[in-house]
Amino acid sequence: MTPILNAAGRNRRLLSSVAFVSLIWPAAGHTQTARGLDPIVVEGQSARPSKPRATANAGASRQRRAAARPVATTPVPTSTSAATTSTASPPTFNLGTPASSASRLNLTPLQTPASVEIITADTIAERGQHNVIDAVTQNATGFTASPAPGNGGLAFNTRGFTGNGTVMSLYDGTRMYVGSGTMTFPFDTWTAQRIEVLRGPASVMYGEGAIGGAINVISKKPSWLPRNEAEISLDTNLTRRLAVDSTGPINSNVSYRLAAIGNMSDGWVDRDNTSNVAVSGSVRVQAADNLAFTLSEDYADRSPSRYFGTPLVNGRLDESLRFQNYNVGDASIRYRDNWTQLKTEWDVAEGVSVKNVSYYLSSHRHWKDVESDAYSPATGTINRSSYIEIFHDQEQIGNRFDTTLRGHLFGLANEFVAGFDVNRIAFSHTNNSPYAGTSSVTPYNFDPGYFLPVSPTRPSFHTLTTQYGLFAENRLSLTDQLSVVGGVRSDHPTVERTDFLTPSNSFEKSYSAPSWRAGLVYTPIKDLAFYGQYATAVDPVTNLITMTGVNRDFALSTGKQVEIGVKQQLAGGRAEWTLAAYQIVKNNLLARDPQNPANTNPLQIGQQSSRGIEASAGVKVTDTLRLDANVAVLRAQYDDFVQVVGGKPVNYAGNVPANVPQVVSNIWATWAFAPGWSANAGVQLVGDTWADNANTLVRPAYNVVNAGLMWKPDAQQTFALRVYNVFDTVYATSGNTTQWLLGMPRTAELSYNVKF
């Protein structure tokens, strides 16, 4: 398809969207003016209606649990009358809100000696961030992403470390182990109540594989307050979204939550129709005032983009190829994820509580496509290779248990939690390795052709991983202003690999993965906290559950971090700011033997480090204007990393790891400029990024501006017009030295949300 035809197609999509606006706008035009921005809050478990109960020794537990649950607020009004004022909501860092991702003691960010942020569902909705990638990278400090169909579209980067092996993704505090570098759930933000991000080592919380940080998506939970919500949207890529959310009591002891989202899109590159469905359901049973069970079920079925990138022409991006998709015509990708979790919360006695989470997770993935494109200067054609068909079948069953004790130690206030985490992961890999097959097409007006079954698709290997971990955390308040927070964890995984193609590569291997951290928090005045922390972490040299025979004898990579910082909340929550400085060193990277470059077996002699400064600030400037901003500046490098190039050893010491920008920033402004009306705009700034570890090709820095306009004719309805990538910036989110995955072009979206 030529660029002219591409433009015509995009114009038709734009006209379709304008027609859609004209159809629904008159119907909304006669409604009354509404209030401004809703406050940004974290929705918790609403307190259920009181019910007299006589229990022998649970009085204090009942009071504590009632205090822990937010009091039910006034139900959403059914009147169509509009509010007469518009106000901006508070800053979005939520420093005073408990966060479970950085501590099992339910500490707030102000109480935690680490960098942790909370991104609420209201912030995500206000800014029109439909997927987890956008919600994290456009809001959290220092996060970028390198999404691609091959890694499931959920690969994050922070503090100089990249990918699913070093930046962990979780759902409700539970991790699915990464297989072959791929993570596919969670992806849509509609079912999320909030997203918590932790920068820096998280091994003490979640085990191996989180030296850079962790992202925890917290799902929407049942509420005793009845609430229903629906949303529909359409954009200029013909992306159609329909979402529903319902919660409330079933009876005096049982409440429910059901959230679902479905979307279909024509995509912004040629021949790239996509569809996604996600359903999240949960039921909470309040068996007693001090005992509750929550059963949740999450299911996702995705047919994501089959665009693997735009080939570079003589090492440069040719914008005329921006909308071309060089995959074959019958390319297919599908991910199906299922998460079942049963959570038990029991207040045993005053100061003693128990939590248990049992879970069953499964993921089934399939790729059948062509993943490598390269421009040929000699022929002027696009050479395609890597005809890949892969199946992942993964099942994980486990249990996490902990007990919390709150009381005094030597007369000092003390909080202590200890527990264990056990799981069993079965992973099967079927593929058509060595992924043979090549073809060539012209840059424009080409026949995409069909998948070439050159190599047979057959079972490759199966692994069975069993793991148990023990953990403990303690917070001791030395004075009203000074506290000590520490934690320790020890994981013991055993991997059994059965290699169907090369039986001699089958093995069984056990590992030990200890980690710990210790920190101080000093609060000289209310809501001002200075902190320092030392933490260790462990990462596998490759993904643990898909460890190969070549790497089985290597020890886990180890890391350590030193971090200091300050956080403050001002003027009753109208302003917040944070500042942190850190240094991370990771040892035992795999590198080639500089004395014997012909030896293809690497050694654990490499080292990588990063150091940086991160700052964030948010302020409600006036009753109608809010500003939020953050910036991360870092220096990441390989300290010792030998590779073989042209048969000779080359030390990449001093080079910057691929996919690591040295500067990342986000700036947002929200203005409630009239009753019922508000506007927001944000810019995401990402610095230069090297496309390879040899630092031979750089992906240029970019700035992407997003903006939105919202109108609330009454308290129940919201119309929103958003424009993503306002200035149509051409930029790359990931890629190597031959092809880059480009970001979405300018896209306009109209949405309608109703609460009832």
Side-chain angles (χ1 to χ4, degrees), residues 534-572:
Y534 180 88
T536 67
V538 287
D539 278 349
V541 292
T542 60
N543 297 140
L544 183 68
I545 68 172
T546 49
M547 184 84 66
T548 64
V550 174
N551 297 325
R552 64 185 176 185
D553 293 327
F554 293 118
L556 301 179
S557 298
T558 58
K560 57 185 178 181
Q561 174 189 265
V562 176
E563 178 178 345
I564 58 173
V566 58
K567 313 170 188 178
Q568 187 175 22
Q569 195 173 62
L570 298 165

mmCIF file of all heavy atoms in Angstrom, residues 534-572:
data_model
loop_
_atom_site.group_PDB
_atom_site.id
_atom_site.type_symbol
_atom_site.label_atom_id
_atom_site.label_comp_id
_atom_site.label_asym_id
_atom_site.label_seq_id
_atom_site.Cartn_x
_atom_site.Cartn_y
_atom_site.Cartn_z
ATOM 1 N N TYR A 534 19.686 0.034 52.548
ATOM 2 C CA TYR A 534 20.616 -0.850 51.860
ATOM 3 C C TYR A 534 19.847 -2.134 51.557
ATOM 4 O O TYR A 534 19.204 -2.710 52.438
ATOM 5 C CB TYR A 534 21.831 -1.166 52.730
ATOM 6 C CG TYR A 534 22.836 -2.074 52.062
ATOM 7 C CD1 TYR A 534 23.847 -1.548 51.266
ATOM 8 C CD2 TYR A 534 22.763 -3.461 52.217
ATOM 9 C CE1 TYR A 534 24.770 -2.372 50.651
ATOM 10 C CE2 TYR A 534 23.677 -4.299 51.595
ATOM 11 C CZ TYR A 534 24.684 -3.749 50.814
ATOM 12 O OH TYR A 534 25.587 -4.570 50.190
ATOM 13 N N ALA A 535 19.918 -2.585 50.305
ATOM 14 C CA ALA A 535 19.146 -3.760 49.902
ATOM 15 C C ALA A 535 19.973 -4.635 48.983
ATOM 16 O O ALA A 535 20.812 -4.150 48.208
ATOM 17 C CB ALA A 535 17.851 -3.340 49.201
ATOM 18 N N THR A 536 19.726 -5.932 49.067
ATOM 19 C CA THR A 536 20.341 -6.882 48.148
ATOM 20 C C THR A 536 19.251 -7.555 47.328
ATOM 21 O O THR A 536 18.072 -7.527 47.681
ATOM 22 C CB THR A 536 21.152 -7.951 48.902
ATOM 23 O OG1 THR A 536 20.250 -8.774 49.662
ATOM 24 C CG2 THR A 536 22.162 -7.303 49.835
ATOM 25 N N ALA A 537 19.662 -8.169 46.221
ATOM 26 C CA ALA A 537 18.698 -8.831 45.339
ATOM 27 C C ALA A 537 19.404 -9.923 44.556
ATOM 28 O O ALA A 537 20.637 -9.968 44.483
ATOM 29 C CB ALA A 537 18.057 -7.821 44.389
ATOM 30 N N VAL A 538 18.618 -10.804 43.966
ATOM 31 C CA VAL A 538 19.143 -11.880 43.120
ATOM 32 C C VAL A 538 18.330 -11.950 41.833
ATOM 33 O O VAL A 538 17.117 -11.738 41.827
ATOM 34 C CB VAL A 538 19.098 -13.246 43.845
ATOM 35 C CG1 VAL A 538 20.158 -13.322 44.916
ATOM 36 C CG2 VAL A 538 17.729 -13.512 44.440
ATOM 37 N N ASP A 539 19.015 -12.209 40.729
ATOM 38 C CA ASP A 539 18.395 -12.415 39.423
ATOM 39 C C ASP A 539 18.952 -13.694 38.811
ATOM 40 O O ASP A 539 20.147 -13.978 38.962
ATOM 41 C CB ASP A 539 18.712 -11.255 38.469
ATOM 42 C CG ASP A 539 17.804 -10.058 38.668
ATOM 43 O OD1 ASP A 539 16.805 -10.191 39.387
ATOM 44 O OD2 ASP A 539 18.112 -8.989 38.107
ATOM 45 N N PRO A 540 18.141 -14.464 38.100
ATOM 46 C CA PRO A 540 18.695 -15.598 37.354
ATOM 47 C C PRO A 540 19.468 -15.091 36.143
ATOM 48 O O PRO A 540 19.200 -13.994 35.634
ATOM 49 C CB PRO A 540 17.449 -16.381 36.939
ATOM 50 C CG PRO A 540 16.367 -15.354 36.880
ATOM 51 C CD PRO A 540 16.686 -14.348 37.949
ATOM 52 N N VAL A 541 20.440 -15.856 35.671
ATOM 53 C CA VAL A 541 21.194 -15.434 34.496
ATOM 54 C C VAL A 541 20.309 -15.452 33.252
ATOM 55 O O VAL A 541 20.552 -14.725 32.289
ATOM 56 C CB VAL A 541 22.444 -16.316 34.298
ATOM 57 C CG1 VAL A 541 23.439 -16.083 35.415
ATOM 58 C CG2 VAL A 541 22.070 -17.790 34.213
ATOM 59 N N THR A 542 19.313 -16.307 33.248
ATOM 60 C CA THR A 542 18.232 -16.261 32.264
ATOM 61 C C THR A 542 16.958 -16.552 33.048
ATOM 62 O O THR A 542 16.998 -16.750 34.251
ATOM 63 C CB THR A 542 18.423 -17.307 31.151
ATOM 64 O OG1 THR A 542 18.444 -18.613 31.739
ATOM 65 C CG2 THR A 542 19.719 -17.071 30.391
ATOM 66 N N ASN A 543 15.801 -16.561 32.361
ATOM 67 C CA ASN A 543 14.561 -16.868 33.069
ATOM 68 C C ASN A 543 14.664 -18.234 33.744
ATOM 69 O O ASN A 543 15.027 -19.223 33.119
ATOM 70 C CB ASN A 543 13.382 -16.857 32.111
ATOM 71 C CG ASN A 543 13.147 -15.493 31.484
ATOM 72 O OD1 ASN A 543 12.843 -15.393 30.309
ATOM 73 N ND2 ASN A 543 13.300 -14.425 32.244
ATOM 74 N N LEU A 544 14.317 -18.273 35.026
ATOM 75 C CA LEU A 544 14.561 -19.460 35.843
ATOM 76 C C LEU A 544 13.869 -20.700 35.291
ATOM 77 O O LEU A 544 14.482 -21.770 35.158
ATOM 78 C CB LEU A 544 14.108 -19.186 37.276
ATOM 79 C CG LEU A 544 14.363 -20.303 38.284
ATOM 80 C CD1 LEU A 544 15.856 -20.464 38.530
ATOM 81 C CD2 LEU A 544 13.639 -20.008 39.597
ATOM 82 N N ILE A 545 12.582 -20.593 34.971
ATOM 83 C CA ILE A 545 11.823 -21.790 34.596
ATOM 84 C C ILE A 545 12.124 -22.252 33.177
ATOM 85 O O ILE A 545 11.686 -23.336 32.773
ATOM 86 C CB ILE A 545 10.304 -21.575 34.773
ATOM 87 C CG1 ILE A 545 9.775 -20.555 33.767
ATOM 88 C CG2 ILE A 545 9.988 -21.158 36.195
ATOM 89 C CD1 ILE A 545 8.262 -20.449 33.776
ATOM 90 N N THR A 546 12.859 -21.444 32.387
ATOM 91 C CA THR A 546 13.265 -21.868 31.044
ATOM 92 C C THR A 546 14.787 -21.891 30.931
ATOM 93 O O THR A 546 15.343 -21.656 29.867
ATOM 94 C CB THR A 546 12.642 -20.955 29.970
ATOM 95 O OG1 THR A 546 12.867 -19.581 30.313
ATOM 96 C CG2 THR A 546 11.156 -21.198 29.862
ATOM 97 N N MET A 547 15.437 -22.181 32.054
ATOM 98 C CA MET A 547 16.889 -22.307 32.093
ATOM 99 C C MET A 547 17.343 -23.418 31.146
ATOM 100 O O MET A 547 16.762 -24.495 31.101
ATOM 101 C CB MET A 547 17.327 -22.626 33.520
ATOM 102 C CG MET A 547 18.827 -22.697 33.708
ATOM 103 S SD MET A 547 19.553 -21.074 33.970
ATOM 104 C CE MET A 547 18.820 -20.640 35.552
ATOM 105 N N THR A 548 18.398 -23.131 30.352
ATOM 106 C CA THR A 548 18.923 -24.125 29.420
ATOM 107 C C THR A 548 20.039 -24.932 30.073
ATOM 108 O O THR A 548 20.589 -24.553 31.111
ATOM 109 C CB THR A 548 19.473 -23.452 28.154
ATOM 110 O OG1 THR A 548 20.588 -22.620 28.514
ATOM 111 C CG2 THR A 548 18.399 -22.606 27.486
ATOM 112 N N GLY A 549 20.400 -26.033 29.428
ATOM 113 C CA GLY A 549 21.476 -26.863 29.948
ATOM 114 C C GLY A 549 22.804 -26.136 29.991
ATOM 115 O O GLY A 549 23.639 -26.395 30.863
ATOM 116 N N VAL A 550 23.029 -25.214 29.061
ATOM 117 C CA VAL A 550 24.280 -24.462 29.036
ATOM 118 C C VAL A 550 24.429 -23.606 30.288
ATOM 119 O O VAL A 550 25.537 -23.430 30.810
ATOM 120 C CB VAL A 550 24.343 -23.580 27.772
ATOM 121 C CG1 VAL A 550 25.566 -22.671 27.797
ATOM 122 C CG2 VAL A 550 24.343 -24.451 26.522
ATOM 123 N N ASN A 551 23.308 -23.089 30.797
ATOM 124 C CA ASN A 551 23.368 -22.144 31.918
ATOM 125 C C ASN A 551 23.066 -22.773 33.275
ATOM 126 O O ASN A 551 23.037 -22.071 34.281
ATOM 127 C CB ASN A 551 22.370 -21.003 31.675
ATOM 128 C CG ASN A 551 22.709 -20.195 30.440
ATOM 129 O OD1 ASN A 551 23.874 -19.997 30.126
ATOM 130 N ND2 ASN A 551 21.689 -19.735 29.733
ATOM 131 N N ARG A 552 22.861 -24.066 33.326
ATOM 132 C CA ARG A 552 22.373 -24.684 34.556
ATOM 133 C C ARG A 552 23.361 -24.590 35.710
ATOM 134 O O ARG A 552 22.956 -24.564 36.882
ATOM 135 C CB ARG A 552 22.038 -26.142 34.306
ATOM 136 C CG ARG A 552 23.233 -27.001 33.915
ATOM 137 C CD ARG A 552 22.823 -28.408 33.573
ATOM 138 N NE ARG A 552 23.961 -29.207 33.111
ATOM 139 C CZ ARG A 552 23.853 -30.447 32.662
ATOM 140 N NH1 ARG A 552 22.661 -31.014 32.602
ATOM 141 N NH2 ARG A 552 24.924 -31.110 32.263
ATOM 142 N N ASP A 553 24.658 -24.547 35.412
ATOM 143 C CA ASP A 553 25.649 -24.572 36.487
ATOM 144 C C ASP A 553 26.044 -23.184 36.974
ATOM 145 O O ASP A 553 26.878 -23.070 37.877
ATOM 146 C CB ASP A 553 26.905 -25.326 36.026
ATOM 147 C CG ASP A 553 26.626 -26.807 35.796
ATOM 148 O OD1 ASP A 553 25.781 -27.357 36.531
ATOM 149 O OD2 ASP A 553 27.226 -27.388 34.878
ATOM 150 N N PHE A 554 25.477 -22.156 36.393
ATOM 151 C CA PHE A 554 25.797 -20.810 36.846
ATOM 152 C C PHE A 554 25.004 -20.455 38.091
ATOM 153 O O PHE A 554 23.833 -20.834 38.243
ATOM 154 C CB PHE A 554 25.510 -19.776 35.749
ATOM 155 C CG PHE A 554 26.414 -19.894 34.562
ATOM 156 C CD1 PHE A 554 25.910 -20.189 33.310
ATOM 157 C CD2 PHE A 554 27.785 -19.713 34.703
ATOM 158 C CE1 PHE A 554 26.745 -20.300 32.214
ATOM 159 C CE2 PHE A 554 28.632 -19.821 33.607
ATOM 160 C CZ PHE A 554 28.116 -20.116 32.358
ATOM 161 N N ALA A 555 25.645 -19.699 38.974
ATOM 162 C CA ALA A 555 24.945 -19.193 40.150
ATOM 163 C C ALA A 555 24.036 -18.045 39.745
ATOM 164 O O ALA A 555 24.152 -17.482 38.650
ATOM 165 C CB ALA A 555 25.960 -18.732 41.194
ATOM 166 N N LEU A 556 23.110 -17.694 40.611
ATOM 167 C CA LEU A 556 22.247 -16.554 40.347
ATOM 168 C C LEU A 556 23.071 -15.269 40.429
ATOM 169 O O LEU A 556 23.993 -15.153 41.237
ATOM 170 C CB LEU A 556 21.103 -16.509 41.357
ATOM 171 C CG LEU A 556 20.189 -17.740 41.402
ATOM 172 C CD1 LEU A 556 19.122 -17.558 42.475
ATOM 173 C CD2 LEU A 556 19.544 -18.001 40.055
ATOM 174 N N SER A 557 22.722 -14.309 39.574
ATOM 175 C CA SER A 557 23.373 -13.003 39.658
ATOM 176 C C SER A 557 22.941 -12.306 40.943
ATOM 177 O O SER A 557 21.805 -12.471 41.401
ATOM 178 C CB SER A 557 22.996 -12.151 38.447
ATOM 179 O OG SER A 557 23.438 -12.749 37.244
ATOM 180 N N THR A 558 23.835 -11.535 41.512
ATOM 181 C CA THR A 558 23.549 -10.845 42.769
ATOM 182 C C THR A 558 23.666 -9.341 42.569
ATOM 183 O O THR A 558 24.414 -8.862 41.712
ATOM 184 C CB THR A 558 24.506 -11.283 43.879
ATOM 185 O OG1 THR A 558 25.860 -11.015 43.477
ATOM 186 C CG2 THR A 558 24.355 -12.763 44.171
ATOM 187 N N GLY A 559 22.935 -8.606 43.374
ATOM 188 C CA GLY A 559 22.976 -7.156 43.282
ATOM 189 C C GLY A 559 22.814 -6.509 44.638
ATOM 190 O O GLY A 559 22.334 -7.134 45.590
ATOM 191 N N LYS A 560 23.211 -5.257 44.722
ATOM 192 C CA LYS A 560 23.056 -4.496 45.955
ATOM 193 C C LYS A 560 22.747 -3.056 45.597
ATOM 194 O O LYS A 560 23.176 -2.545 44.566
ATOM 195 C CB LYS A 560 24.321 -4.588 46.810
ATOM 196 C CG LYS A 560 25.592 -4.122 46.103
ATOM 197 C CD LYS A 560 26.821 -4.359 46.953
ATOM 198 C CE LYS A 560 28.094 -3.945 46.215
ATOM 199 N NZ LYS A 560 29.320 -4.187 47.031
ATOM 200 N N GLN A 561 21.979 -2.411 46.453
ATOM 201 C CA GLN A 561 21.597 -1.015 46.232
ATOM 202 C C GLN A 561 21.731 -0.221 47.523
ATOM 203 O O GLN A 561 21.375 -0.695 48.602
ATOM 204 C CB GLN A 561 20.154 -0.903 45.735
ATOM 205 C CG GLN A 561 19.679 0.560 45.626
ATOM 206 C CD GLN A 561 18.211 0.695 45.347
ATOM 207 O OE1 GLN A 561 17.820 0.835 44.205
ATOM 208 N NE2 GLN A 561 17.381 0.660 46.381
ATOM 209 N N VAL A 562 22.208 1.002 47.380
ATOM 210 C CA VAL A 562 22.190 1.992 48.449
ATOM 211 C C VAL A 562 21.309 3.141 47.976
ATOM 212 O O VAL A 562 21.473 3.640 46.853
ATOM 213 C CB VAL A 562 23.603 2.502 48.782
ATOM 214 C CG1 VAL A 562 23.535 3.598 49.839
ATOM 215 C CG2 VAL A 562 24.487 1.361 49.261
ATOM 216 N N GLU A 563 20.339 3.536 48.801
ATOM 217 C CA GLU A 563 19.417 4.609 48.424
ATOM 218 C C GLU A 563 19.173 5.523 49.617
ATOM 219 O O GLU A 563 19.017 5.064 50.746
ATOM 220 C CB GLU A 563 18.079 4.040 47.939
ATOM 221 C CG GLU A 563 17.049 5.103 47.580
ATOM 222 C CD GLU A 563 15.742 4.524 47.053
ATOM 223 O OE1 GLU A 563 15.728 3.326 46.702
ATOM 224 O OE2 GLU A 563 14.734 5.270 47.012
ATOM 225 N N ILE A 564 19.164 6.827 49.357
ATOM 226 C CA ILE A 564 18.779 7.819 50.351
ATOM 227 C C ILE A 564 17.746 8.732 49.712
ATOM 228 O O ILE A 564 17.709 8.892 48.487
ATOM 229 C CB ILE A 564 19.979 8.645 50.860
ATOM 230 C CG1 ILE A 564 20.679 9.355 49.691
ATOM 231 C CG2 ILE A 564 20.959 7.756 51.627
ATOM 232 C CD1 ILE A 564 21.771 10.311 50.124
ATOM 233 N N GLY A 565 16.887 9.325 50.535
ATOM 234 C CA GLY A 565 15.879 10.200 49.960
ATOM 235 C C GLY A 565 15.094 10.952 51.002
ATOM 236 O O GLY A 565 15.294 10.793 52.215
ATOM 237 N N VAL A 566 14.176 11.776 50.521
ATOM 238 C CA VAL A 566 13.300 12.569 51.370
ATOM 239 C C VAL A 566 11.942 12.662 50.682
ATOM 240 O O VAL A 566 11.852 12.724 49.446
ATOM 241 C CB VAL A 566 13.893 13.981 51.623
ATOM 242 C CG1 VAL A 566 14.129 14.723 50.314
ATOM 243 C CG2 VAL A 566 12.994 14.788 52.551
ATOM 244 N N LYS A 567 10.871 12.633 51.490
ATOM 245 C CA LYS A 567 9.504 12.743 50.986
ATOM 246 C C LYS A 567 8.740 13.690 51.895
ATOM 247 O O LYS A 567 8.976 13.731 53.106
ATOM 248 C CB LYS A 567 8.803 11.375 50.992
ATOM 249 C CG LYS A 567 9.597 10.230 50.411
ATOM 250 C CD LYS A 567 8.925 8.890 50.673
ATOM 251 C CE LYS A 567 9.798 7.722 50.274
ATOM 252 N NZ LYS A 567 9.186 6.420 50.560
ATOM 253 N N GLN A 568 7.796 14.428 51.308
ATOM 254 C CA GLN A 568 7.007 15.334 52.141
ATOM 255 C C GLN A 568 5.633 15.562 51.532
ATOM 256 O O GLN A 568 5.470 15.643 50.313
ATOM 257 C CB GLN A 568 7.709 16.684 52.314
ATOM 258 C CG GLN A 568 7.014 17.608 53.317
ATOM 259 C CD GLN A 568 7.770 18.885 53.581
ATOM 260 O OE1 GLN A 568 8.602 19.316 52.777
ATOM 261 N NE2 GLN A 568 7.508 19.525 54.720
ATOM 262 N N GLN A 569 4.675 15.676 52.425
ATOM 263 C CA GLN A 569 3.311 16.044 52.068
ATOM 264 C C GLN A 569 3.006 17.357 52.780
ATOM 265 O O GLN A 569 3.247 17.492 53.980
ATOM 266 C CB GLN A 569 2.348 14.945 52.514
ATOM 267 C CG GLN A 569 0.966 15.028 51.909
ATOM 268 C CD GLN A 569 0.135 13.802 52.266
ATOM 269 O OE1 GLN A 569 -0.121 13.550 53.437
ATOM 270 N NE2 GLN A 569 -0.279 13.044 51.270
ATOM 271 N N LEU A 570 2.491 18.339 52.037
ATOM 272 C CA LEU A 570 2.318 19.691 52.562
ATOM 273 C C LEU A 570 0.870 20.145 52.466
ATOM 274 O O LEU A 570 0.099 19.642 51.651
ATOM 275 C CB LEU A 570 3.198 20.686 51.775
ATOM 276 C CG LEU A 570 4.714 20.480 51.836
ATOM 277 C CD1 LEU A 570 5.377 21.289 50.739
ATOM 278 C CD2 LEU A 570 5.252 20.870 53.187
ATOM 279 N N ALA A 571 0.563 21.138 53.291
ATOM 280 C CA ALA A 571 -0.710 21.867 53.193
ATOM 281 C C ALA A 571 -1.901 20.927 53.152
ATOM 282 O O ALA A 571 -2.800 21.076 52.315
ATOM 283 C CB ALA A 571 -0.704 22.783 51.963
ATOM 284 N N GLY A 572 -1.903 19.963 54.056
ATOM 285 C CA GLY A 572 -3.034 19.056 54.129
ATOM 286 C C GLY A 572 -3.243 18.222 52.886
ATOM 287 O O GLY A 572 -4.377 17.861 52.558
#
